[in-house]
């Protein structure tokens, strides 16, 4: 079975980090989330992928190539204009089999897919939607379904207190090729507002199944940070690259930690990181590969992407810094989000 990974979104709510980067390529635990997703699906037996691209597609193509480096096969589609979720699936139709998986590639999740595939087969469904339960469904698409799991209505972003349930579309679909005939080609199509209602009206089987496991839409800066804190707390059980030196302290290869420096767990330190004398890292800090943190700097509840430089005595708290960012000596930054050398913006 092939998996179609929908990676063409603009990631506007995660800007400025995604101004020059596809959102699924934002690192989680010092590796692009999309790489985690491909390897996770490979563990579950998926080895053939189609990745739907639009925003800075060359970043993804260059990183993954044909997939052989990861032991999988990858093909690509490119949207010239925004097509929406259903439109992107339709564009990929020539590359897909009779039954396939489609996943929103910017959702951080750790979910077993076999029960969803078995549910789909047992119901002889045209589409089966993976569902997840959230505390506040007002920012998502909510479903109403029968006791057998058949969906009869979608409510898009209901007002607080008016949602018919707390089960939302998790952006994970099992689809049969027949369902694609309900998607008009060559234009933007919403899968929840157009495609699924059309399938339901035509009497096609659209089902939903609640899924167990970790799920988080990392579409905002707060949720992006939360995914990292859940990873450090091991609620999100993705691989951590590095040696665990004491409980909750992971350190990569070829790192140096200066005299009197303190690592307060949980922290994740990438490869070839240099930490100066009397620096304090953590709690809840993720430091990318090839970063340099000079003496007496303090970094807490902060994510640094690769090759960042934190100069002497700087103080960072609840920040996210993109690739190659540089923080001046004795600068004090709180809730800053910086893409490379661009000006910090408040969360």
């Amino acid at each position: 079975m092939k998996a179609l990974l929908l990676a063409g979104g603009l990631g506007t709510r995660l800007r400025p980090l995604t101004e020059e980067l596809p959102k699924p390529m934002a690192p989680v635990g010092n590796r692009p989330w999309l790489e985690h997703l491909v390897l996770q699906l490979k563990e579950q037996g998926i080895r053939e992928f189609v990745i739907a691209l639009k925003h800075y597609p060359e970043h993804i193509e260059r990183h993954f190539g044909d997939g052989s480096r990861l032991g999988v096969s990858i093909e690509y589609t490119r949207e010239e204009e925004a097509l929406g979720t259903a439109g992107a699936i339709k564009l990929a139709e020539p590359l897909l089999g009779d039954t396939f998986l489609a996943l929103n590639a910017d959702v951080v999740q750790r979910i077993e897919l076999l029960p969803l595939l078995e549910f789909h087969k047992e119901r002889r469904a045209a589409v089966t939607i993976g569902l997840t339960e959230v505390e506040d469904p007002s920012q998502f698409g909510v479903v109403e379904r029968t006791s057998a799991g058949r969906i009869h209505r979608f409510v898009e972003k209901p007002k607080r207190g008016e949602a018919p349930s707390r089960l939302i579309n998790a952006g994970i679909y099992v689809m049969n090729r027949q369902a694609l005939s309900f998607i008009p080609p060559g234009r933007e199509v919403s899968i929840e507002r157009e495609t699924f209602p059309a399938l339901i009206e035509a009497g096609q089987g659209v089902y939903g199944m609640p899924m167990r496991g970790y799920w988080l839409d990392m579409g905002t800066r707060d949720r992006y940070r939360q995914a990292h804190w859940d990873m450090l707390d091991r609620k999100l059980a993705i691989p951590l690259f590095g040696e665990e030196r004491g409980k909750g302290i992971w350190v990569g290869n070829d790192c140096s930690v200066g005299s009197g420096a303190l690592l307060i767990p949980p922290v994740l330190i990438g490869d070839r990181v240099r930490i100066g004398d009397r620096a304090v890292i953590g709690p809840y800090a993720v430091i990318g590969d090839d970063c340099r943190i000079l003496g007496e700097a303090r970094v807490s509840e902060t994510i640094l992407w690769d090759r960042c430089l934190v100069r002497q005595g700087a103080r960072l708290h609840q920040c996210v810094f993109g690739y190659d960012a540089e923080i001046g000596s004795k600068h004090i930054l709180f809730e800053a989000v910086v893409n490379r050398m661009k000006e910090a913006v408040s969360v």
Side-chain angles (χ1 to χ4, degrees), residues 80-150:
E80 298 301 324
E81 297 180 356
L83 296 175
T85 298
I89 294 172
K90 183 70 173 180
L91 182 66
E93 182 175 7
L95 302 178
L96 302 172
D98 291 337
T99 302
F100 60 92
L101 280 163
L103 301 92
N104 289 341
D106 57 0
V107 172
V108 177
Q109 50 95 351
R110 188 78 176 173
I111 290 172
E112 287 292 330
L113 294 173
L114 182 58
L116 184 70
L117 297 173
E118 292 176 343
F119 181 94
H120 178 83
K121 185 177 180 180
E122 289 170 359
R123 299 301 192 277
R124 298 182 180 179
V127 176
T128 300
I129 304 169
L131 307 175
T132 189
E133 188 171 357
V134 296
E135 287 295 323
D136 178 14
S138 63
Q139 298 301 311
F140 302 96
V142 181
V143 303
E144 285 187 7
R145 63 191 193 111
T146 68
S147 58
R150 190 158 187 153

Side-chain angles (χ1 to χ4, degrees), residues 13 36 39 81 88 100 117 137 139 144 149 170 191 235 255 261 315 339:
R13 292 175 298 166
H36 284 293
L39 292 175
E81 297 180 356
F100 60 92
L117 297 173
Q139 298 301 311
E144 285 187 7
I191 200 166
K235 296 175 185 176
C255 294
R315 303 287 190 270
N339 178 29

Side-chain angles (χ1 to χ4, degrees), residues 138-339:
S138 63
Q139 298 301 311
F140 302 96
V142 181
V143 303
E144 285 187 7
R145 63 191 193 111
T146 68
S147 58
R150 190 158 187 153
I151 294 174
H152 56 85
R153 189 165 76 104
F154 291 86
V155 182
E156 184 67 18
K157 295 184 179 179
K159 294 181 180 179
R160 286 180 180 270
E162 297 182 7
S165 78
R166 293 192 301 176
L167 287 173
I168 68 166
N169 177 358
I172 302 172
Y173 314 110
V174 186
M175 302 185 73
N176 292 351
R177 180 179 288 274
Q178 70 193 59
L180 302 186
S181 64
F182 287 79
I183 305 174
R187 70 169 177 86
E188 186 171 2
V189 185
S190 166
I191 200 166
E192 287 187 317
R193 294 189 180 93
E194 294 186 57
T195 307
F196 292 156
L199 285 163
I200 291 169
E201 186 176 351
Q204 301 292 312
V206 178
Y207 285 82
M209 175 188 160
M211 305 188 73
R212 294 182 178 179
Y214 185 91
W215 186 94
L216 182 70
D217 177 1
M218 68 171 183
T220 69
R221 300 159 185 173
D222 283 343
R223 292 203 292 264
Y224 178 69
R225 282 196 299 251
Q226 188 61 52
H228 281 80
W229 310 158
D230 290 344
M231 174 197 70
L232 291 173
D233 287 335
R234 307 315 288 148
K235 296 175 185 176
L236 170 59
I238 60 174
L240 295 182
F241 300 91
E243 175 189 355
E244 190 169 9
R245 300 183 184 178
K247 186 173 177 57
I249 299 175
W250 291 271
V251 180
N253 297 320
D254 191 25
C255 294
S256 65
V257 179
S259 173
L262 183 61
L263 305 181
I264 304 175
V267 297
L268 173 63
I269 309 294
D271 295 338
R272 300 174 301 280
V273 172
R274 302 291 179 258
I275 297 173
D277 296 346
R278 295 181 298 283
V280 178
I281 312 298
Y284 293 99
V286 176
I287 312 300
D289 296 345
D290 300 296
C291 287
R292 289 190 297 151
I293 301 172
L294 303 188
E296 300 181 352
R298 296 193 176 189
V299 179
S300 61
E301 296 184 32
T302 289
I303 302 159
L304 304 181
W305 293 7
D306 296 349
R307 301 179 302 277
C308 288
L309 171 61
V310 181
R311 293 194 178 277
Q312 188 90 11
R315 303 287 190 270
L316 310 179
H317 184 66
Q318 294 186 358
C319 298
V320 184
F321 290 88
Y323 295 120
D324 303 296
E326 182 176 334
I327 298 91
S329 62
K330 298 185 179 179
H331 282 198
I332 299 174
L333 293 172
F334 173 68
E335 292 191 339
V337 178
V338 176
N339 178 29

Side-chain angles (χ1 to χ4, degrees), residues 31-50:
R31 297 294 183 272
W33 166 248
L34 188 56
E35 182 173 317
H36 284 293
L37 180 59
V38 168
L39 292 175
Q40 178 189 149
L41 294 173
K42 179 187 173 184
E43 289 174 5
Q44 299 187 55
I46 306 296
R47 285 178 166 76
E48 294 183 84
F49 295 86
V50 179

